[in-house]
Amino acid sequence: MTDRPDRLDIDPALFRGMTQRRISRRDLLRYAGTGAGALGVGAFLAACGVGGGGGNQSPAATGTQLQNQLKKIYGDGKPSGQLNWANWPDYIDVNSKGQSPTIEKFTKATGIKVHYSTVINDNTPFLAKIIPVLQNGQDTGYDLIVVTNGGGIEPLLRLGFLTPLDHKYIPNFFKYASQPVRSPAYDPGNKYSVAWQSGFTGIGYNSKFVKETPKSFGDLLNPKYKGKVGVFGNNQDLPCPALQYMGFDIQKSTPAQWRKTADMLSKARDKGQFLGFYDQSYIDKLENQDTIITQAWSGDVFIAAAPKSIGGDGFPELKLALPNEGAIIWTDNMCIPLHAKNPVDAIMMMNWVYQPPIAAEMADFIWYVSPVPAAKDVVLHKLKDPEVADSPLVFPSAADLAKTHGYKVFKDSSEQDQWNSIWEPVYSS
């Protein structure tokens, strides 16, 4: 083991004032096909010189072939002592000294020096940066990256640009991970990824004006809220909940069902039901009472409602409801890019963060859905933070989790292009 460094090698963007508003993990997030500067997946892959259908992806190795492949990648499991990690801003626990306890403890226990870079502000530009490098068979410079399902991880999977995981090195994941992050539809069997943190797309509302807790996406269509309703302007968070409300299974839904649901939303839009189609700005509209009910991301509502004394916005009247037809759950995923120089160090970090005490410290700071349910007791009894421990937005019940649905997983880029062509006119017209 090497000596623990006096100061963690973390880029300066991580050092922020501990009393300022905790910026949402989703503040700068844009999905493919939404907003200026965000290319559709097919278009951005084409711009990189890569076929969107993933034709250059090799068949997945199985059996003895897979074991030989994993042996070649991970060797005898001995780390090199260096980990280069790319993540989003404000997405790991940080103490008053500007250091991450999670990383500090990892380095002390393993001797692995971590260079932690907050270089991901949006999935699409980050992929546009690393895919040409991977296409050329080169190391991206990152051993561990965090990308979102619903547009971030899928192109990397289709193109075969992620390193397969040797499950014997991540026993904590299989011991402590919550059910929704095990074998997700976009990565069956967790062959290439494990969850970092998750969040819900639910219904945010101002309890001063909305007296009855919303029970369905259909509450956004209630005429009594006309003109005071917000919905998302992207092609996952808007259509997926709407499809579930219409009784259609997201993953099995057909183009005809997409058109029927899109037509329903367009008619509501044309009648003035929605104040607007929003990105991150929706939370300001809710706080300002421009809207009183809106689609919302769980972490944002937690931040908005939390007291200012702990870094929240101080709007306790703001609540989040999960619809009876099931909330949408999205997940940011830890992955190892192909050709990474330090895969053992990366997979050791994956295993490290699934320890309940470590997951608890992160959950108590990040305020998104923890993938480790057992961390709740640590937050409550050791960290003594009942507000976080008892929040269903950080530690949802098993019943709520059982009803969740994931983003649409596309068979190929042509299916995604058809999806986009139906939904984008709804919120961009």
Side-chain angles (χ1 to χ4, degrees), residues 13 107 128 138 173 229 249 252 269 282 318 320 323 338 382 385-386 401 421:
T107 298
Q138 299 173 341
F173 173 79
V229 178
D249 183 296
K252 298 178 181 178
R269 174 202 63 202
Y282 82 89
L318 301 185
L320 186 89
L338 212 59
K382 183 177 179 181
D385 192 348
L401 287 174
S421 71

Side-chain angles (χ1 to χ4, degrees), residues 336-350:
I336 303 174
L338 212 59
H339 315 302
K341 290 184 178 179
N342 307 298
V344 174
D345 307 74
I347 204 167
M348 286 178 67
M349 177 59 82
M350 289 179 171

Side-chain angles (χ1 to χ4, degrees), residues 6-8 10 15 93-101 104:
D6 292 334
R7 179 179 176 276
L8 293 175
I10 302 178
F15 297 108
D93 53 323
V94 179
N95 61 26
S96 59
K97 297 179 180 179
Q99 298 173 325
S100 167
E104 279 195 307

Side-chain angles (χ1 to χ4, degrees), residues 386-417:
E387 185 169 11
V388 171
D390 294 337
S391 172
L393 306 186
V394 181
F395 294 105
S397 69
D400 283 337
L401 287 174
K403 293 193 298 182
T404 58
H405 309 282
Y407 285 150
K408 172 66 177 173
V409 178
F410 301 102
K411 293 179 294 187
D412 50 40
S413 59
S414 62
E415 183 185 38
Q416 185 166 4
D417 289 341

Side-chain angles (χ1 to χ4, degrees), residues 50 56 130-141 160-161 337-341:
V50 180
N56 64 338
I130 67 172
I131 281 180
V133 179
L134 293 166
Q135 187 184 19
N136 290 330
Q138 299 173 341
D139 171 30
T140 64
F161 286 159
L338 212 59
H339 315 302
K341 290 184 178 179

Side-chain angles (χ1 to χ4, degrees), residues 356-357 360-361 374-384:
E361 290 194 12
K376 177 176 180 175
D377 284 344
V378 181
V379 174
L380 181 62
H381 299 296
K382 183 177 179 181
L383 303 183
K384 300 188 184 304

